[in-house]
Amino acid sequence: MAEAVQGRAAFQVLVLPYRQTEGGLLYALFRRLDGAYWQGVAGGEAGEAPLPAARRELSEETGLAGAREFISLDSRATVPVLHVTGGFTWGPDVLVIPEYAFGVRADSMELVLSSEHTEYGWFSLDSAMSAVRWDSNRTALWELDQRLRRSSVARES
C-alpha cells in the first residue's frame, strides 16, 4: 500500500448513515460542493486506520458524534486517485487506492453539513442507488440494506 502523504491517507472510507422509519429504511447521501454529485460520507487522513477515519469523517461531515456502532461492510473497491485527490498524490505508480465501507445508524433525520457539501437528503434504497455517482456506493448501499433487512437492527426503532 502507498504511504500517506500531504495529510491524506492512501485509502478512502465510505460511511453510509441510515435510519429506520415507519416507511422503511432510509439512507443519507450528501451532495459534494466540488462536483455536485451525491455520495456517502468519504475521506481519510494520514495516520488513521479505516474505522477511526470513518468515525472522524462521520462527525465532521454530519455532526453525528459519540459512541456509535459501525457496521463494517464486506464491500471493497479501489478508487482512482484522480477522483480522490485530483492528482497522483502518492507518486506516478499509485493509480488506485482501496475504499473501506461502513454503515452507521443515525439518531436523527437532522444532520449538520460540513463545508464539503451543499445539501443532504434521506433516500430509499432505490432512490439512493439512482442518485449516487460511484458504483462502489451502490454496492455498499445494497450490502448494507441486505444486512439490515436480515438482522434485528432494522426492526429496532
Side-chain angles (χ1 to χ4, degrees), residues 43-54:
E45 290 182 3
E48 292 180 309
L51 182 56

Side-chain angles (χ1 to χ4, degrees), residues 38-94:
W38 292 96
Q39 67 176 38
V41 170
E45 290 182 3
E48 292 180 309
L51 182 56
R55 290 185 187 285
R56 182 191 48 74
E57 291 288 344
L58 179 74
S59 177
E60 288 178 1
E61 295 185 22
T62 70
L64 296 173
R68 299 188 174 278
E69 184 176 338
F70 281 68
I71 300 169
S72 181
L73 301 175
D74 292 333
S75 296
R76 297 286 187 271
T78 52
V79 182
V81 296
L82 294 178
H83 294 163
V84 176
T85 64
F88 294 100
T89 305
W90 300 279
D93 294 330
V94 179

Side-chain angles (χ1 to χ4, degrees), residues 105-124:
R105 184 184 191 115
D107 301 327
S108 168
M109 299 289 279
E110 298 297 320
L111 302 174
V112 178
L113 285 180
S114 73
S115 60
E116 295 177 38
H117 304 105
T118 59
E119 63 182 308
Y120 71 91
W122 289 94
F123 295 76
S124 68

Side-chain angles (χ1 to χ4, degrees), residues 1-2 10-11 14 16-18 28 40 50 55 70 76-78 94 104 107 111 124 132 135 140 142 145 148-149:
M1 181 189 276
F11 67 82
L14 171 65
L16 300 168
Y18 68 88
R55 290 185 187 285
F70 281 68
R76 297 286 187 271
T78 52
V94 179
V104 65
D107 301 327
L111 302 174
S124 68
V132 294
D135 286 339
W142 182 88
D145 189 75
L148 294 172
R149 291 178 189 282

